[in-house]
Amino acid sequence: MPSSPRRLPPPPVLARRTLMLGAGTAALLATAGCNPFSTPTRVTRTVTASAAPAVDPMLTLTAITRLHVVRLANVIAANKPVAARLTPLLKDRQVHLAQLIAEVSRTSPQAGASEKAKPTSDPTLAVPTGASPVLLAAMKSDAATAQTAFIDAFSLASRYRAALFGSIAACLASHQEALS
């Protein structure tokens, strides 16, 4: 018995409406920016952050002044020839340190107590002996560095602090002249 050829079912007919619906959907997706072959799009998020609060320069200025007091005291103790010249400068810097500690205590009693407890002498801080021009140049450099720090802090300071910083900066300028 010969086999009769089998009839295959007719191919599916794509209705015109189905074709138009598919083309319309593709056009709509392309217009909307959807592309199944593209990389995923990144979402941009706007994050609003406030500026970091200004750092209070008082502790830094107090530390600079304390270091300057320690260095002056050690130079005076180690070098008697320059002691007469540096003693008035040391007294000025000790007054500055007391004023700065009082201001720190006014705004933060706990920090003020901590600053008062810190020593104003350090025997381990070595200073060279004998070369007074070199020592005077180092002290002048300390005064210039401290003056710059006080001038930089001036712009963010309150009225009282600005007056205090200005007074100390002016005194440090006179120290630089005295050490020249």
Side-chain angles (χ1 to χ4, degrees):
M1 229 183 189
S3 67
S4 66
R6 286 182 139 188
R7 285 194 153 184
L8 296 174
V13 178
L14 189 59
R16 188 184 315 170
R17 285 187 181 176
T18 307
L19 179 65
M20 295 304 285
L21 180 65
T25 303
L28 181 63
L29 290 175
T31 306
C34 299
N35 183 353
F37 304 110
S38 69
T39 58
T41 57
R42 296 184 181 169
V43 177
T44 303
R45 293 183 186 163
T46 304
V47 177
T48 53
S50 60
V55 176
D56 187 14
M58 289 302 295
L59 296 178
T60 302
L61 296 174
T62 304
I64 290 170
T65 304
R66 184 180 313 281
L67 179 62
H68 200 190
V69 166
V70 168
R71 287 191 65 178
L72 278 167
N74 285 357
V75 167
I76 289 170
N79 297 300
K80 296 302 177 196
V82 296
R85 193 170 182 185
L86 295 179
T87 300
L89 279 60
L90 175 61
K91 289 181 181 178
D92 285 344
R93 295 305 280 152
Q94 287 170 333
V95 169
H96 296 160
L97 182 60
Q99 291 172 335
L100 291 169
I101 289 173
E103 176 60 15
V104 169
S105 296
R106 184 183 69 82
T107 57
S108 174
Q110 184 179 9
S114 172
E115 286 299 316
K116 284 179 187 175
K118 291 180 182 174
T120 56
S121 63
D122 184 4
T124 62
L125 185 64
V127 293
T129 57
S132 63
V134 173
L135 287 175
L136 294 178
M139 294 297 103
K140 184 176 179 180
S141 175
D142 282 352
T145 302
Q147 182 186 16
T148 302
F150 279 96
I151 290 171
D152 289 346
F154 185 79
S155 64
L156 299 174
S158 65
R159 283 187 195 172
Y160 173 75
R161 284 186 178 182
L164 177 64
F165 295 169
S167 171
I168 293 172
C171 187
L172 289 167
S174 70
H175 285 190
Q176 291 175 58
E177 289 301 315
L179 292 168
S180 294

